Amino acid sequence: MSKSRREFIKISALSFGGLVMANPILNAMIGQVQAGEPIDASKIKPVPTYCEVCFWKCAGWVHTDEKGELWKIEGNEDDPHCKGRFCPRGTGGLGMYNDEDRLKSPLMRVEVNGKQTFKEVSWDKAFRFIADKMNQISEEHGPESLALFKHGSGGAHFGKLFKAFGSRNITAPSYAQCRGPREVGFHATFGANINSPEPVDLENTKCLVLIGNHIGENMHNSHVQEMSKAIDNGLEIITVDPRLSTAASKSVHWLPIKPATDIALLLAWMHVLVTEKLYDKAYIDQYAYGFEDLEAHIADKTPEWAEEITTIKADVIRETARKMAYHAPATLIHPGRHVTWYGDDTQRLRAMAMLNALLGSWGRKGGFYFPEKAKVPSFPHPAYPSASWTWKDYLDGKYALAGSSIANVFVDASHPDNKTDKKIKGWFVVGTNLISTIPDTKKTLEAIDNLDLFVVVDTMPMEITGYADIILPECTYLERYDDIRVSPNREPNIAVRIPAAKPKYLTKPSDWIVRKLAEKLKLSAHFNYKSYSEVLDWQLKQMGFSLAEMKERGIIKFDRKNANLYLEEGEEYEFGTPTGMIELYSTDLEMEGFDPLPNYTPHPEPPAGFFRLNYGRAPMHTFGRTANNPNLNELMNENKLWVNPKIAKKAGIVNGQEIWLENQDGVKSEFPIKVRVTERIGMDNVYMVHGFGKSNKKLKRSNGRGISDSQLVTNVMVDPVMGGTGMRGNFVKFVIDKPEREVIS
Amino acid sequence: MRYAMVIDTKKCVGCSDCVVACQNENRVPIGYCRDWVIEHAKGAFPNVSIELRSERCNHCENSPCVRCCPTGASHYEEGGLVMVDRGACIGCGACVQSCPYNARFSHPEGYVDKCSFCNHRLKEGKSPSCVSVCPTNCMYFGDLNDSESQVSQLLKNRDWKVLAPEVGTKPQVYYLI
Ligand code: SF4
Ligand code: SF4
Ligand code: SF4
């Protein structure tokens, strides 16, 4: 980065002087959460919202006290996402609002005495700058050369602006860096996507199989609740994980598998079900395509074969397969969420889908239910102009099965190495810290350097903001309206978000930012309202309700159109695959030149002295967005490196000791991490929670606390089927003494 | 009336939601807590097990904290609640020392604080904040004198333990194991 045109600016160097200090709201903020007697509940007027700390979007009520200050947030009893109970991150969501390290004013990159720095600017100036650059890019390259990376509710507003401007190059890292392979793998099998929340019928599940899925450490709220309810009803859990995760600790069978060998285990499980005739024959006969091919394919994939590869004993493989069959179809192989591991992830997820198929759990009680979603009319706007090219054209047929845009491909299209005529020259990054979400940061930074415009919209000074030309401070979800929440579920439902407080400092909601920018771009016709509440009220009135009514209720549930949650006995059913059947043999994959049946391929092992780097979640944090949240930071303010005691002894490191890590490419962690010596992990890997080791000093509570796993993920294995970025093939060794720090300028 | 809390360690995932909810509800200042979560691991890889449990004041029936309080600020209330009268508390910290569970802390405003079983919520017919937020529904609250109550039934039908029974404080927070 030394020759970077767009130097990283540590926001700590900025003064938030004049503009913000003069803002009276700041003074009101100081001393806000005062300890004292509990509040008199009779004075409380709760405001409905849905949570934005993670993508589960639980609906809840924000309670304010008699002084009008935010006090607490609680789940909405009627909401199927949370059933009246928020998870720790949602409960601590007020910390996002109270965090004094928030972005407070629009900032523009300027050069002072030859040094780049950020300067506070007015919103109007920021908009003029952005609009000019957008028009310039559009004139030179076309409007398609602007790309949007988004995550969360704010991104939706920007999506509309992009479409109105003429670009469909819109992406979210939550696909290719997270759940994409599962969508493709399940779609190839059942002709349907999994989506969010996953339509898993956990509350009725009798046997739950978790493969690298950490319910309880991931707080997918309703699923955690349903799993717990199922435990009361005698649920048996089988967990495949190299580490004793929380879920593993609740399991009847914990299979501490050798990392990167899951497909072998899945094939052997299928082998047992098929050879012992334990699969759901009637279901397979009626619905499945390619059973004989599968039968031949797995004939030699015996448990003994898999034992050699996975280190899981053959008799354990048999016993667990029989247990799944015993409880079928109320046996659920959970599709999981963050599934981009080794580059053959679509195939692994295919194998998981096929195992579900053999057990007959798709469309069955205790397996997968058929979700339904409410229809919300869109607010009238002029037709969007057509775009002359999109990311799909840039890919020119590659990753044809990807059902959604691939964020890393946008980086490629922005990189100087892109020699095609489809170039991306401007980025908006809304609510996603690309530095820790997209692996291969070096490439991302080279792409950023090649841009003519780089706008970041966020609530916090995340690392990515340091590279922006312009930073726009968004207010938190507690201070704004947003789109009506519509999500597939057992019962169709909608929920609203109403501001519980005025935006603090000079922050603004995304809908306002977009509307004002649209004025400068002469696109106001697309945003024909004065407040987003008008849009919501119009939409709700079309549906027979009103915003006023929603303020009282928060959520509305509807009757299902199709009463059946599950397939009826022998029901005729057409699946969304090319054959209309459950494809054990995938014709889609075959067409694209990939294995129509999944195969196990060995993956590289850690070299001597190295350990595979695994990372995961802690229940009180999410996406690295919460590390600085005062409430949640208090519960966990750094990540630790899980190390097996035997390994620790050999390496001469002890519990609590600070060490550094170096990966296979010689990349060293920026900060030290404390060792946590624990029997919960085996000898071939180490583990840490994702989202720590913040390098931006402006994040006072989280800067330099623990380390960032993303920094150490430099080996990225791209999934040839859908372009996902496999991140679990990185190996680290311990560095005991503080390494010399390379100066990053 | 004998208030008690029953916590199912088989369901607790150690998420600490109970901790955040209590901090919000009772305005516990950042840096302090009335409840907390413990992980207890046993065995060696791969034969390891863990217990997760949320702990707080046990509202002991025979509590050293009430006995040693020089001002009477620490006292029993209806249902066996062990409470601190903030006005009467001089912050001497004798009770903090006496509690075998480390359940009390000196509040920066000069009095001693701890879990109240959210008695202000009990008065409104609500459960304690931690109980009502727990996403695994692993906490139960109720009256042990009522043999039909959920807490009584759970203790009748499941194996359970209390913490440090040997010190003779008769804790009223029970853990299902
Ligand atoms: S909220 Fe419930 S599950 Fe979470 S730590 Fe507390 S008791 Fe355990
Ligand atoms: S747990 Fe400690 S503070 Fe609570 S009643 Fe017992 S002795 Fe007193
Ligand atoms: S009962 Fe109330 S005061 Fe006690 S730990 Fe639970 S939330 Fe906190």
Side-chain angles (χ1 to χ4, degrees):
Chain A
M1 276 307 288
S2 57
K3 281 196 208 65
S4 165
R5 184 179 60 80
R6 210 173 248 111
E7 281 168 30
F8 175 79
I9 304 176
K10 296 194 178 71
I11 298 194
S12 58
L14 301 177
S15 108
F16 283 113
L19 268 176
V20 172
M21 291 312 282
N23 188 335
I25 302 167
L26 184 74
N27 304 327
M29 183 206 82
I30 295 164
Q32 195 145 52
V33 180
Q34 282 292 340
E37 294 292 334
I39 304 299
D40 179 353
S42 62
K43 292 181 186 147
I44 295 160
K45 275 199 229 106
V47 173
T49 188
Y50 58 86
C51 184
E52 181 87 5
V53 188
C54 91
F55 48 76
W56 215 253
K57 299 186 185 160
C58 298
W61 300 102
V62 185
H63 294 262
T64 43
D65 62 20
E66 71 279 7
K67 285 184 250 132
E69 286 168 4
L70 302 191
W71 169 33
K72 62 178 178 179
I73 182 164
E74 290 178 339
N76 185 322
E77 295 281 341
D78 290 332
D79 182 28
H81 291 231
C82 79
K83 307 167 201 244
R85 292 162 184 255
F86 266 16
C87 84
R89 301 158 308 164
T91 306
L94 298 191
M96 264 173 90
Y97 169 79
N98 287 322
D99 195 331
E100 68 286 357
D101 291 345
R102 282 172 61 173
L103 291 169
K104 301 181 176 81
S105 144
L107 297 170
M108 186 187 277
R109 176 180 296 264
V110 291
E111 207 167 285
V112 180
N113 302 330
K115 210 176 156 359
Q116 297 187 2
T117 184
F118 283 119
K119 189 179 147 217
E120 287 170 2
V121 291
S122 69
W123 279 99
D124 194 64
K125 182 156 186 199
F127 291 139
R128 273 185 278 133
F129 173 87
I130 297 169
D132 283 352
K133 289 273 185 179
M134 285 175 78
N135 288 328
Q136 242 172 45
I137 292 174
S138 180
E139 273 159 36
E140 269 176 56
H141 306 275
E144 299 84 357
S145 290
L146 281 150
L148 168 64
F149 295 78
K150 65 183 176 77
H151 194 240
S153 307
H157 302 289
F158 285 90
K160 291 176 203 160
L161 181 72
F162 265 65
K163 287 185 198 152
F165 190 69
S167 174
R168 301 288 162 95
N169 284 324
I170 300 171
T171 193
S174 52
Y175 188 74
Q177 279 66 50
C178 187
R179 61 187 175 83
R182 135 192 134 174
E183 302 300 325
V184 178
F186 273 71
H187 196 281
T189 313
F190 298 109
N193 282 334
I194 298 288
N195 295 327
S196 182
E198 294 83 348
V200 290
D201 197 23
L202 260 169
E203 64 180 12
N204 295 308
T205 300
K206 298 267 180 269
C207 176
L208 172 64
V209 183
L210 300 173
I211 303 179
N213 177 341
H214 321 106
I215 302 186
E217 284 160 310
N218 75 45
M219 291 304 290
H220 302 163
N221 193 341
S222 43
H223 288 178
V224 174
Q225 298 192 30
E226 287 189 31
M227 179 171 91
S228 196
K229 190 171 161 196
I231 290 176
D232 275 340
N233 296 330
L235 173 73
E236 297 198 272
I237 308 176
I238 298 168
T239 299
V240 181
D241 203 311
R243 174 180 67 92
L244 185 91
S245 62
T246 302
S249 78
K250 315 259 177 233
S251 302
V252 191
H253 292 280
W254 168 41
L255 279 50
I257 194 167
K258 178 169 161 185
T261 65
D262 312 76
I263 295 182
L265 174 66
L266 289 158
L267 292 170
W269 269 340
M270 288 194 251
H271 173 96
V272 178
L273 293 180
V274 170
T275 56
E276 297 188 8
K277 304 217 176 332
L278 297 172
Y279 67 96
D280 190 333
K281 188 161 185 315
Y283 181 92
I284 290 292
D285 285 350
Q286 184 180 358
Y287 298 122
Y289 171 82
F291 179 74
E292 288 75 23
D293 300 294
L294 174 66
E295 199 171 16
H297 184 71
I298 49 152
D300 57 351
K301 308 294 184 300
T302 60
E304 284 70 21
W305 167 81
E307 176 175 338
E308 287 283 305
I309 298 168
T310 61
T311 72
I312 305 297
K313 295 266 174 287
D315 54 353
V316 174
I317 298 178
R318 287 207 169 80
E319 191 188 345
T320 43
R322 289 173 193 149
K323 184 151 278 166
M324 291 179 215
Y326 175 79
H327 291 293
T331 296
L332 173 72
I333 322 298
H334 196 293
R337 193 122 187 163
H338 177 73
V339 295
T340 43
W341 301 351
Y342 311 116
D344 55 359
D345 306 303
T346 302
Q347 294 291 4
R348 186 181 69 254
L349 272 292
R350 263 276 291 158
M352 287 163 68
M354 291 159 69
L355 193 58
N356 275 305
L358 289 177
L359 295 160
S361 65
W362 185 269
R364 292 298 210 23
K365 188 169 178 182
F368 294 82
Y369 63 81
F370 295 126
E372 266 191 25
K373 200 167 155 171
K375 278 210 170 50
V376 176
S378 8
F379 192 72
H381 60 80
Y384 292 130
S386 60
S388 70
W389 65 273
T390 71
W391 60 279
K392 281 203 173 169
D393 303 296
Y394 170 79
L395 277 172
D396 200 17
K398 213 173 157 194
Y399 309 137
L401 296 178
S404 201
S405 57
I406 305 162
N408 37 308
V409 164
F410 283 56
V411 175
D412 297 343
S414 315
H415 196 271
D417 287 350
N418 172 12
K419 301 292 179 236
T420 74
D421 58 349
K422 297 178 178 60
K423 294 194 196 307
I424 288 177
K425 299 303 291 177
W427 283 11
F428 274 61
V429 173
V430 181
T432 173
N433 185 19
L434 294 189
I435 299 301
S436 66
T437 50
I438 298 188
D440 199 350
T441 308
K442 192 167 156 274
K443 194 174 193 185
T444 308
L445 296 182
E446 286 163 0
I448 288 175
D449 237 10
N450 198 37
L451 299 172
D452 294 342
L453 170 66
F454 184 18
V455 184
V456 174
V457 184
D458 214 316
T459 59
M460 294 296 296
M462 306 306 278
E463 280 85 356
I464 189 73
T465 56
Y467 300 96
D469 296 334
I470 285 263
I471 305 170
L472 303 179
E474 194 187 15
C475 62
T476 69
Y477 67 106
L478 296 160
E479 304 157 286
R480 66 184 196 231
Y481 291 103
D482 263 311
D483 281 325
I484 294 173
R485 184 196 80 185
V486 201
S487 53
N489 222 298
R490 291 186 178 91
E491 289 172 280
N493 62 79
I494 55 169
V496 290
R497 175 179 289 162
I498 310 283
K502 284 213 172 65
K504 261 193 194 177
Y505 316 111
L506 301 179
T507 67
K508 290 288 182 187
S510 281
D511 77 85
W512 181 91
I513 299 174
V514 161
R515 208 153 23 88
K516 292 291 169 189
L517 185 53
E519 279 174 21
K520 296 275 185 284
L521 293 166
K522 306 203 166 37
L523 293 171
S524 288
H526 284 269
F527 304 92
N528 193 14
Y529 46 82
K530 293 207 173 50
S531 151
Y532 211 64
S533 59
E534 280 176 42
V535 175
L536 300 178
D537 195 43
W538 181 90
Q539 289 177 308
L540 289 163
K541 286 198 170 126
Q542 300 296 305
M543 301 177 79
F545 311 100
S546 69
L547 191 57
E549 182 177 357
M550 279 309 265
K551 281 185 182 166
E552 305 294 318
R553 296 174 67 175
I555 164 159
I556 291 178
K557 292 195 268 195
F558 303 91
D559 291 337
R560 288 174 64 98
K561 290 219 168 59
N562 175 358
N564 292 345
L565 268 180
Y566 317 110
L567 290 165
E568 283 192 81
E569 188 75 41
E571 178 183 340
E572 276 196 32
Y573 190 86
E574 173 150 359
F575 291 82
T577 54
T579 56
M581 302 182 80
I582 297 174
E583 295 199 357
L584 295 172
Y585 184 96
S586 169
T587 57
D588 265 343
L589 286 166
E590 185 182 36
M591 275 260 290
E592 293 300 323
F594 300 111
D595 292 345
L597 290 157
N599 282 306
Y600 164 70
T601 19
H603 292 288
E605 298 285 319
F610 282 80
F611 305 92
R612 188 181 297 274
L613 173 65
N614 279 336
Y615 53 83
R617 301 245 173 264
M620 57 294 272
H621 284 289
T622 203
F623 303 125
R625 284 164 62 174
T626 49
N628 208 66
N629 175 314
N631 300 88
L632 303 177
N633 177 277
E634 194 188 17
L635 299 176
M636 178 180 180
N637 63 7
E638 61 188 349
N639 55 0
K640 292 190 175 154
L641 187 74
W642 294 36
V643 180
N644 181 281
K646 292 200 182 75
I647 301 294
K649 196 161 171 223
K650 217 169 129 212
I653 53 177
V654 296
N655 209 22
Q657 181 176 347
E658 288 194 334
I659 62 167
W660 287 257
L661 296 180
E662 179 175 339
N663 80 357
Q664 72 284 337
D665 295 326
V667 174
K668 294 186 195 83
S669 61
E670 186 177 353
F671 304 110
I673 185 168
K674 287 193 187 117
V675 172
R676 174 186 177 184
V677 178
T678 172
E679 297 283 1
R680 291 177 65 184
I681 191 162
M683 315 266 283
D684 50 6
N685 68 110
V686 291
Y687 168 85
M688 69 177 79
V689 170
H690 170 81
F692 287 85
K694 298 286 173 211
S695 57
N696 200 334
K697 288 201 177 126
K698 189 64 198 170
L699 297 166
K700 283 195 226 66
R701 267 177 295 271
S702 52
N703 170 250
R705 295 301 194 101
I707 68 178
S708 154
D709 52 298
S710 319
Q711 266 178 3
L712 298 167
V713 176
T714 50
N715 175 36
V716 180
M717 290 161 293
V718 175
D719 190 326
V721 182
M722 49 63 68
T725 52
M727 303 184 240
R728 297 264 165 103
N730 289 269
F731 309 121
V732 293
K733 67 176 182 191
F734 307 143
V735 178
I736 311 290
D737 298 315
K738 185 172 182 175
E740 291 277 313
R741 275 277 285 287
E742 292 147 43
V743 185
I744 305 168
S745 67
Chain B
M1 180 85 88
R2 171 66 255 185
Y3 283 128
M5 197 177 276
V6 174
I7 301 177
D8 190 346
T9 63
K10 295 282 179 217
K11 294 201 291 180
C12 172
V13 294
C15 69
S16 305
D17 205 357
C18 45
V19 180
V20 204
C22 173
Q23 287 172 328
N24 281 349
E25 177 72 28
N26 297 300
R27 306 212 148 192
V28 181
I30 298 265
Y32 300 85
C33 59
R34 288 180 172 195
D35 57 344
W36 60 94
V37 180
I38 296 279
E39 173 192 318
H40 206 76
K42 275 202 300 257
F45 184 90
N47 301 307
V48 211
S49 63
I50 55 169
E51 180 176 290
L52 293 163
R53 59 171 192 260
S54 170
E55 297 185 357
R56 61 193 43 59
C57 166
N58 289 287
H59 293 267
C60 305
E61 211 167 288
N62 177 24
S63 59
C65 58
V66 172
R67 258 198 324 277
C68 78
C69 175
T71 61
S74 282
H75 62 283
Y76 295 107
E77 277 184 18
E78 160 79 21
L81 298 185
V82 173
M83 299 295 291
V84 183
D85 177 345
R86 286 175 188 180
C89 176
I90 53 168
C92 72
C95 57
V96 178
Q97 297 303 320
S98 80
C99 170
Y101 305 97
N102 216 354
R104 294 179 168 235
F105 63 92
S106 295
H107 195 286
E109 285 179 7
Y111 52 87
V112 164
D113 198 25
K114 68 169 193 70
C115 163
S116 59
F117 271 171
C118 284
N119 70 327
H120 64 289
R121 288 172 64 97
L122 303 181
K123 284 179 199 145
E124 293 167 25
K126 292 185 188 155
S127 315
S129 183
C130 52
V131 173
S132 68
V133 81
C134 172
T136 67
N137 274 272
C138 77
M139 296 194 227
Y140 306 87
F141 189 81
D143 179 8
L144 278 188
N145 288 347
D146 170 4
S147 63
E148 294 307 308
S149 69
Q150 200 177 19
V151 283
S152 299
Q153 288 296 315
L154 283 165
L155 295 187
K156 194 170 137 216
N157 298 322
R158 294 271 305 267
D159 290 336
W160 55 264
K161 66 174 180 190
V162 291
L163 300 180
E166 65 281 1
V167 295
T169 52
K170 296 198 178 149
Q172 297 304 314
V173 176
Y174 298 80
Y175 294 94
L176 302 177
I177 47 177

